[in-house]
Amino acid sequence: EAGVTQFPSHSVIEKGQTVTLRCDPISGHDNLYWYRRVMGKEIKFLLHFVKESKQDESGMPNNRFLAERTGGTYSTLKVQPAELEDSGVYFCASSQDRGTGPTAYQETQYFGPGTRLLVL
Amino acid sequence: AQKVTQAQTEISVVEKEDVTLDCVYETRDTTYYLFWYKQPPSGELVFLIRRNSFDEQNEISGRYSWNFQKSTSSFNFTITASQVVDSAVYFCALTCLDSNYQLIWGAGTKLIIKP
């Protein structure tokens, strides 16, 4: 079974340019997450899709970030325009469907290799 | 609010030594999940273990073992007879209903195993 894949593995752009990151989750995983780690900081949640719907986007830093998940398959994360502070590693993760209710079963999130973004 | 603390920024040991990585967590939820992930030099995050709050049984997997202590809110990770290939950054993480099942991460511990 193929794991989570991310493209590109590295991206170097200039401030003000646009970059689009792509994530392909594990087949059959309804949940897709984006996280990022900026230099010297902890890994932080960005957003969570359940199929094609945004379940939680509370971690998106500002409106320069736009995430989509067309047809509930792969997801893209666009940064437009990129700023210096956007540099870091962007991780994507996916997990199977979880249950509902107070004892919802939290499925393990499996991560892709990350995209290293450098904004100059 | 939830928090995960990995107080050890970096640990360096000689191969074959045992090493323990500490993880202390905070949450008000009674149901939560704890994870350890490994990030080798290649950069990917590799899932190692998940532990549910209602299961305090410790776990052993080969040279790896995990000690979950609810009384001290700790979920420590021990590598026995360390090997150079164990060199990586290790992250402890927490998720719960109160975090909306976002993974809350510790800062990571960089483990260096010297030959």
Side-chain angles (χ1 to χ4, degrees):
Chain A
E1 179 181 281
V4 177
T5 58
Q6 292 185 246
F7 181 83
S9 59
H10 296 79
S11 180
V12 181
I13 61 172
E14 293 188 352
K15 175 183 173 180
Q17 289 186 323
T18 297
V19 63
T20 300
L21 313 181
R22 172 169 170 148
C23 169
D24 287 77
I26 294 171
S27 178
H29 281 192
D30 288 339
N31 295 286
L32 187 149
Y33 307 81
W34 284 98
Y35 293 82
R36 75 171 180 177
R37 188 184 192 197
V38 297
M39 189 66 69
K41 299 287 184 65
E42 294 168 4
I43 300 172
K44 293 289 189 184
F45 168 84
L46 295 178
L47 88 158
H48 169 209
F49 284 99
V50 178
K51 296 182 179 177
E52 67 276 8
S53 300
K54 292 177 185 175
Q55 178 75 13
D56 180 359
E57 52 184 329
S58 61
M60 294 289 263
N62 52 61
N63 59 10
R64 295 186 293 103
F65 289 74
L66 175 64
E68 295 179 326
R69 189 179 183 193
T70 307
T73 56
Y74 69 91
S75 173
T76 58
L77 180 63
K78 180 190 291 186
V79 186
Q80 180 182 28
E83 299 289 344
L84 300 179
E85 63 265 26
D86 300 332
S87 296
V89 182
Y90 289 77
F91 291 103
C92 175
S94 72
S95 70
Q96 292 181 325
D97 187 29
R98 69 164 78 106
T100 58
T103 57
Y105 184 65
Q106 173 60 33
E107 292 287 347
T108 296
Q109 296 178 30
Y110 294 95
F111 283 79
T115 293
R116 284 143 192 81
L117 174 64
L118 179 60
V119 183
L120 301 175
Chain B
Q2 306 78 39
K3 185 178 180 182
V4 176
T5 302
Q6 294 180 258
Q8 304 150 309
T9 304
E10 184 174 306
I11 300 174
S12 181
V13 300
V14 177
E15 198 173 20
K16 297 183 183 178
E17 287 186 11
D18 298 348
V19 58
T20 296
L21 310 181
D22 297 333
C23 173
V24 175
Y25 61 92
E26 296 176 29
T27 178
R28 286 177 293 186
D29 273 350
T30 55
T31 300
Y32 52 89
Y33 304 83
L34 297 163
F35 301 81
W36 276 94
Y37 287 86
K38 173 183 180 180
Q39 186 181 38
S42 50
E44 70 274 25
L45 287 166
V46 179
F47 165 73
L48 294 178
I49 190 171
R50 181 179 90 188
R51 177 59 66 208
N52 307 325
S53 57
F54 42 87
D55 180 4
E56 280 195 76
Q57 190 171 5
N58 292 325
E59 180 142 346
I60 298 174
S61 176
R63 296 182 298 105
Y64 294 174
S65 63
W66 291 268
N67 184 5
F68 178 30
Q69 298 266 350
K70 287 180 77 170
S71 60
T72 56
S73 297
S74 65
F75 186 43
N76 296 336
F77 173 31
T78 297
I79 301 175
T80 303
S82 60
Q83 299 177 1
V84 173
V85 293
D86 296 327
S87 297
V89 180
Y90 291 85
F91 292 95
C92 181
L94 163 76
T95 186
C96 56
L97 179 62
D98 205 27
S99 76
N100 205 19
Y101 293 109
Q102 301 172 16
L103 277 169
I104 308 299
W105 296 84
T109 297
K110 183 176 182 180
L111 178 62
I112 301 169
I113 310 296
K114 299 177 184 176

